[in-house]
């Protein structure tokens, strides 16, 4: 007859329970700060990204971090939480073009849409292959452990949140889950800003159209007033430096309305093959 001794699971200590409670409370406070920054944002995402990154870096016990946004194969930093010296490295390599840096951690994130967690950058292929971004990051700044968390919108990579430690101490799964929640909030902030900008552009276009229609209704035969309003409104909506309307008259382009500082020292422009 074979018996098995019952083993009672070890209960967590009071100190461990207190640490877990404090960790959960800190995460809730940090999440509240990020959500508050998002709700108070009027389209400027800089403060949102800075708040998000500083809280994520602190909660994950990272030495420094950055947040990149993706444009095709190019990644640009939009927020940095850093020690002294990292700014200098980043200024020398502010934009990372993956077409020229195959195999770096960001390249792996782009190809897989998954977290890249590197226990020690000194053992990573990007460092041993002497990549021009990774080598100064390790040798000058002292980065060792690294994690890159993707920011995904409908399975499309729009950016990454990156954390670094100066010790070879890998990030835990719990810490990575925390950064993933911040990444989701960053995506929400970006989408909110996009919708807000769309609404503003739509309102500006409607206002400009209403201005032109108002001028037309008030001046049945005053074409010049209508054209003057058109060049002014189009410059404002397109954030243009200057705007001009030509009308074709007798084989020439005639200056009919102009808005902006560029001097126009002619009245007619001949229409020729030249």
């Amino acid at each position: 007859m074979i018996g098995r001794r019952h083993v009672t699971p070890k209960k967590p200590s009071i100190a461990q329970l207190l640490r877990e409670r404090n960790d959960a409370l800190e995460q809730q406070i940090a999440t509240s700060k990020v959500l508050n920054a998002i709700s108070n944002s009027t389209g400027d995402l800089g403060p949102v990204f800075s708040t998000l990154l500083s809280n994520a870096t602190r909660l994950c016990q990272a030495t420094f971090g950055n947040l990149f946004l993706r444009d095709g194969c190019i990644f640009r930093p939009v927020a940095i939480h850093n020690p002294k010296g990292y700014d200098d490295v980043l200024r020398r390599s502010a934009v990372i073009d993956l077409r020229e840096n195959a195999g770096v951690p960001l390249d792996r994130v782009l190809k897989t849409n998954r977290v890249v967690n590197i226990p020690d950058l000194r053992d990573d292929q990007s460092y041993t292959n002497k990549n021009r971004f990774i080598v100064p990051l390790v040798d000058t700044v002292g980065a060792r452990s690294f994690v890159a968390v993707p920011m995904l919108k409908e399975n499309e990579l729009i950016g990454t949140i990156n954390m670094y430690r100066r010790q070879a101490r890998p990030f835990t799964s719990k810490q990575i889950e925390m950064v993933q929640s911040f990444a989701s909030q960053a995506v929400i902030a970006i989408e909110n800003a996009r919708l807000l900008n769309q609404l503003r552009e739509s309102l500006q276009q409607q206002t400009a159209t209403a201005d032109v229609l108002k001028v037309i209704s008030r001046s049945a035969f005053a074409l010049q007033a209508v054209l003057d309003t058109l060049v002014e409104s189009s410059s404002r909506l397109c954030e243009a430096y200057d705007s001009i309307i030509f009308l074709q008259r007798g084989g020439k382009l005639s200056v009919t309305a102009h808005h902006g500082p560029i001097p126009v020292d002619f009245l007619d422009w001949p229409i020729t093959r030249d």
Side-chain angles (χ1 to χ4, degrees):
M1 181 176 178
I2 299 175
R4 181 175 294 174
R5 188 176 63 180
H6 177 71
V7 179
T8 303
K10 186 178 180 181
K11 294 182 179 180
S13 65
I14 295 178
Q16 182 181 352
L17 291 174
L18 287 174
R19 282 196 300 269
E20 290 178 355
R21 189 188 68 175
N22 289 337
D23 289 344
L25 182 60
E26 283 190 11
Q27 184 174 353
Q28 291 176 5
I29 293 173
T31 301
S32 176
K33 289 180 179 178
V34 173
L35 294 177
N36 186 56
I38 293 174
S39 64
N40 291 332
S41 172
T42 58
D44 179 12
L45 292 177
V48 176
F49 291 150
S50 295
T51 301
L52 185 152
L53 186 62
S54 63
N55 281 280
T57 304
R58 176 176 53 82
L59 289 174
C60 291
Q61 299 173 352
T63 311
F64 56 101
N66 54 30
L67 193 154
F68 281 93
L69 291 185
R70 173 192 168 218
D71 181 10
C73 293
I74 296 175
F75 285 76
R76 291 184 173 85
V78 294
I80 307 169
H81 188 76
N82 61 296
K84 185 178 180 182
Y86 183 53
D87 267 341
D88 297 332
V89 173
L90 196 61
R91 272 196 294 270
R92 291 195 297 269
S93 55
V95 177
I96 300 178
D97 189 339
L98 296 185
R99 291 168 295 187
E100 303 169 358
N101 296 277
V104 298
L106 284 180
D107 187 37
R108 282 170 256 168
V109 177
L110 178 60
K111 289 178 178 177
T112 63
N113 278 358
R114 294 181 179 178
V115 173
V116 172
N117 191 11
I118 301 174
D120 193 342
L121 280 170
R122 289 184 178 179
D123 298 328
D124 191 70
Q125 62 182 16
S126 58
Y127 179 75
T128 56
N129 291 339
K130 300 186 183 304
N131 178 268
R132 66 187 183 92
F133 290 106
I134 304 301
V135 169
L137 191 63
V138 175
D139 293 348
T140 303
V141 183
R144 296 292 297 274
S145 291
F146 167 81
V147 65
V149 176
M151 294 160 48
L152 299 173
K153 178 189 174 185
E154 299 176 354
N155 210 36
E156 178 185 0
L157 182 69
I158 62 174
T160 62
I161 298 176
N162 311 301
M163 299 283 158
Y164 309 80
R165 283 182 177 147
R166 280 179 164 160
Q167 308 86 24
R169 182 165 57 93
F171 292 89
T172 66
S173 58
K174 185 177 180 180
Q175 290 168 336
I176 292 173
E177 288 176 4
M178 191 186 309
V179 180
Q180 286 175 319
S181 70
F182 282 120
S184 298
Q185 292 163 7
V187 173
I188 292 172
I190 292 171
E191 181 64 12
N192 287 348
R194 183 185 68 82
L195 294 174
L196 181 60
N197 289 332
Q198 281 186 348
L199 178 61
R200 285 174 176 168
E201 290 176 1
S202 177
L203 290 174
Q204 288 174 348
Q205 291 175 7
Q206 293 176 22
T207 301
T209 301
D211 290 342
V212 173
L213 293 176
K214 188 184 298 182
V215 172
I216 292 175
S217 65
R218 290 178 178 177
S219 52
F221 300 102
L223 178 61
Q224 190 60 50
V226 175
L227 298 179
D228 290 340
T229 303
L230 278 172
V231 288
E232 181 179 355
S233 297
S234 61
S235 292
R236 185 176 69 255
L237 283 176
C238 298
E239 298 178 357
Y241 187 68
D242 198 278
S243 180
I244 190 168
I245 290 179
F246 292 99
L247 290 183
Q248 191 272 349
R249 291 171 180 160
K252 296 180 179 180
L253 291 177
S254 297
V255 178
T256 311
H258 174 237
H259 178 81
I262 298 177
V264 178
D265 55 1
F266 60 90
L267 295 177
D268 296 311
W269 198 341
I271 302 175
T272 68
R273 291 186 179 274
D274 297 330

